[in-house]
Amino acid sequence: ILELRLVQATLFKNVLEAISDLFSKANFDFSGTGLELQAMDTSHVALVALLLRAEAFNHYLCDRDLSMGLNLADMAKAFRCANNDDIITIKAEEDWSDTVTFTFESPEDGEISIFDFDFVGTNGVPLEIPEFPESEYQAKVRMPSAKFMRICKKLSSFGDSGDRDTVVIISVDKECVNFFTRGKTGTSTIVCRQTQTVDKPKEPTLIEMKEQVSLAFDLRYMNSFSKGSTLSDQVTISLSSNLPAVFEYKIAETGYIRYYMLPRIEE
Amino acid sequence: SGVQLSIKEFYRSK
């Protein structure tokens, strides 16, 4: 039997908002450890992995590992009907008939909404994602997640928004990380310096560089990744010319959401 | 500019 409860719907609402525009289906793996979610976009360019440990839930009972594919668009629609302070219960029975039940209960007026979701195929996830040693990344940038989102928005407004293939070049050089994009009639560069932690101890921009690196990414994807900002105040971007870049948001002490994408390579 | 490689192929080959 699987039975989970969260006393505030916000966490799950934010997770769905952070993934449902780019990823249409996801694999949900429930085990004694917690929930692991994985999804890939239809072009197989980006991968998202989420971990919510059992401690993230107010009640967590999972006596047998359970894996299910679910349609994220349908789930996002259901969750938009849930209030932030609704109590969510997630249930699947032992003789599960390929469905999972999400219940939203309003603590104020006692109204209960029940959604049953059928399992769907997930085209190739979950994948085994090895964790590469830190030393294999040429640079690591940590910054406030709101700042990263703002940078993505600025670059998008400059690059022609109708162009689905706007490329952003992220380059790290000592104490600077630069975001560069080319619009129709010019270029745009946003320079972020490492900030002195004394000035703004809560919002540092930290740069760890082993060697200079300059990599190209599809801005459309980066924009979607920046929606993880509702889950964490900070984002860490790990860069390597021959590994997928990792955009990681830590979720309090209870897990993380990581987006993976390979840099574009020259033909 | 450049080519985008599939993340699926990358992890499958690991």
Side-chain angles (χ1 to χ4, degrees):
Chain A
I1 192 167
L2 174 76
E3 193 183 87
L4 280 59
R5 193 162 50 248
L6 263 177
V7 294
Q8 283 206 316
T10 326
L11 175 63
F12 236 88
K13 273 170 83 89
N14 287 344
V15 165
L16 285 167
E17 289 303 318
I19 58 177
S20 59
D21 70 329
L22 187 56
F23 306 95
S24 55
K25 294 184 275 185
N27 189 79
F28 290 67
D29 269 324
F30 295 96
S31 71
T33 326
L35 161 63
E36 284 181 78
L37 175 154
Q38 222 189 78
M40 201 163 18
D41 74 302
T42 48
S43 321
H44 301 162
V45 168
L47 182 71
V48 64
L50 167 90
L51 169 69
L52 280 182
R53 291 191 192 91
E55 300 86 83
F57 296 85
N58 302 93
H59 169 71
Y60 192 96
L61 173 66
C62 176
D63 56 13
R64 206 183 68 181
D65 292 2
L66 183 56
S67 183
M68 58 182 83
L70 294 173
N71 182 304
L72 294 173
D74 285 347
M75 289 185 73
K77 273 184 216 159
F79 270 83
R80 276 182 207 125
C81 303
N83 294 312
N84 284 342
D85 56 356
D86 278 4
I87 300 162
I88 305 181
T89 310
I90 306 169
K91 262 189 191 177
E93 298 295 336
E94 186 70 43
D95 60 341
W96 36 292
S97 46
D98 292 356
T99 59
V100 59
T101 305
F102 280 71
T103 307
F104 306 129
E105 184 181 344
S106 162
E108 283 155 29
D109 60 12
E111 187 179 302
I112 296 174
S113 315
I114 301 161
F115 295 92
D116 283 325
F117 297 109
D118 296 340
F119 297 174
V120 296
T122 51
N123 304 331
V125 288
L127 291 165
E128 189 69 37
I129 308 175
E131 277 201 36
F132 296 103
E134 301 253 322
S135 57
E136 292 203 26
Y137 292 96
Q138 285 143 312
K140 225 170 208 200
V141 177
R142 203 180 117 191
M143 65 166 66
S145 55
K147 179 172 170 175
F148 178 59
M149 190 178 222
R150 208 165 53 234
I151 290 169
C152 290
K153 279 196 178 139
K154 273 189 197 172
L155 293 171
S156 306
S157 63
F158 181 79
D160 179 8
S161 55
D163 179 7
R164 285 166 65 86
D165 298 322
T166 302
V167 165
V168 55
I169 294 167
I170 306 181
S171 33
V172 181
D173 178 6
K174 275 188 186 164
E175 291 174 354
C176 273
V177 52
N178 295 340
F179 297 85
F180 171 89
T181 194
R182 189 179 292 279
K184 269 187 178 160
T185 54
T187 63
S188 151
T189 308
I190 299 173
V191 179
C192 298
R193 290 201 179 86
Q194 173 150 293
T195 53
Q196 296 293 325
T197 50
V198 199
D199 296 345
K200 286 187 171 179
K202 285 185 187 163
E203 306 168 1
T205 297
L206 302 170
I207 298 163
E208 287 171 41
M209 190 195 80
K210 262 179 53 200
E211 50 189 297
Q212 282 186 11
V213 63
S214 188
L215 303 170
F217 297 99
D218 196 321
L219 179 57
R220 187 170 63 96
Y221 284 92
M222 247 176 57
N223 238 328
S224 287
F225 300 167
S226 73
K227 294 187 178 166
S229 62
T230 54
L231 292 163
S232 179
D233 290 342
Q234 292 272 318
V235 58
T236 305
I237 306 169
S238 303
L239 299 165
S240 162
S241 41
N242 43 31
L243 292 178
V246 189
F247 299 76
E248 182 186 50
Y249 299 83
K250 285 206 161 62
I251 304 171
E253 300 300 314
T254 56
Y256 57 75
I257 185 163
R258 292 177 184 156
Y259 301 89
Y260 300 86
M261 176 168 56
L262 282 160
R264 297 178 76 94
I265 51 164
E266 290 305 317
E267 276 174 284
Chain B
S1 64
V3 178
Q4 181 69 58
L5 296 180
S6 153
I7 195 97
K8 186 177 180 179
E9 293 311 316
F10 177 86
Y11 283 118
R12 282 245 170 108
S13 66
K14 288 289 146 190

